[in-house]
């Protein structure tokens, strides 16, 4: 199915000039120096590489999954695409993440769907360290997720 050219980010009526300007804005947002500053800020506030996960927050997340399971037939935990050109998990960060995911799965039975690295999402899909662009990244992930669930239902 061919989607409208601006699906997921702008009105279908957007002019070619608007789309060109949007591309220029994205190019500025994706500049390597800006991405480095964004990563430095995310490391400071969110421990983006080493992932020293807070026990209370992890327990609250598990509680939220259990609540969702009480009102839904299926609850999946999605790991969103990671900006692999900018963010690299440390060895210890990856281990802490894996331990947390194993705990979540063991305590809730929820399926873990890891889209964080496969297929890789390059910097062109992000407008900062970890947020997908409206025009490209979100559309790509929406299509990937739709394909995953379509295949899963077959």
């Amino acid at each position: 199915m061919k989607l409208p050219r601006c699906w997921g980010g702008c009105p279908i009526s957007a002019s070619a000039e608007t789309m060109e300007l949007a591309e220029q804005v994205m190019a500025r947002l994706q500049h390597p120096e800006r991405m480095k500053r964004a990563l430095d800020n995310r490391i400071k506030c969110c421990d983006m590489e080493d992932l020293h996960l807070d026990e209370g927050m992890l327990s609250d997340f598990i509680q939220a999954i259990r609540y969702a399971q009480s009102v839904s037939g299926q609850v999946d935990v999605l790991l969103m695409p990671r900006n692999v050109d900018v963010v690299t998990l440390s060895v210890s960060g990856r281990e802490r993440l894996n331990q947390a995911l194993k705990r979540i799965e063991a305590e809730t039975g929820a399926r873990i769907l890891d889209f964080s690295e496969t297929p890789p999402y390059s910097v062109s899909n992000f407008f900062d360290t970890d947020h997908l662009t409206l025009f490209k990244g979100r559309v790509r992930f929406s299509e990937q997720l739709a394909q995953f669930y379509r295949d899963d239902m077959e």
Side-chain angles (χ1 to χ4, degrees):
M1 174 173 93
K2 180 74 173 149
L3 298 172
R5 72 183 164 98
C6 293
W7 179 76
C10 66
I12 292 172
S13 61
S15 68
E17 180 183 21
T18 298
M19 292 307 297
E20 185 178 325
L21 288 171
E23 287 295 322
Q24 290 174 18
V25 168
M26 281 301 115
R28 285 185 176 206
L29 290 174
Q30 295 162 344
H31 189 277
E33 289 178 23
R34 183 180 177 283
M35 287 291 183
K36 175 155 182 14
R37 284 193 309 272
L39 176 62
D40 290 346
N41 287 335
R42 297 298 277 173
I43 289 170
K44 287 177 190 172
C45 82
C46 306
D47 193 23
M48 209 63 179
E49 294 175 328
D50 291 326
L51 300 178
H52 292 91
L53 303 173
D54 179 87
E55 174 61 32
M57 289 177 72
L58 183 57
S59 295
D60 289 347
F61 185 68
I62 289 169
Q63 181 79 14
I65 293 169
R66 288 182 181 144
Y67 175 75
Q69 289 171 324
S70 75
V71 296
S72 176
Q74 179 177 335
V75 175
D76 294 333
V77 175
L78 304 179
L79 272 67
M80 295 294 289
R82 187 170 62 249
N83 189 341
V84 296
D85 290 341
V86 176
V87 180
T88 303
L89 292 182
S90 67
V91 172
S92 58
R94 183 171 303 282
E95 180 57 33
R96 280 188 277 280
L97 176 61
N98 289 339
Q99 288 173 359
L101 294 174
K102 286 177 186 172
R103 178 178 166 196
I104 291 166
E105 192 171 36
E107 292 186 24
T108 67
R111 183 168 57 167
I112 308 293
L113 305 178
D114 187 354
F115 296 103
S116 63
E117 294 178 341
T118 306
Y121 277 58
S122 68
V123 70
S124 67
N125 291 281
F126 295 86
F127 69 83
D128 66 4
T129 306
D130 55 338
H131 295 94
L132 295 166
T133 62
L134 289 174
F135 305 116
K136 186 175 179 183
R138 291 181 190 179
V139 170
R140 180 179 174 199
F141 185 65
S142 294
E143 291 170 347
Q144 180 184 2
L145 200 56
Q147 181 67 47
F148 173 84
Y149 280 109
R150 183 172 50 232
D151 294 347
D152 191 53
M153 293 177 77
E154 292 176 352

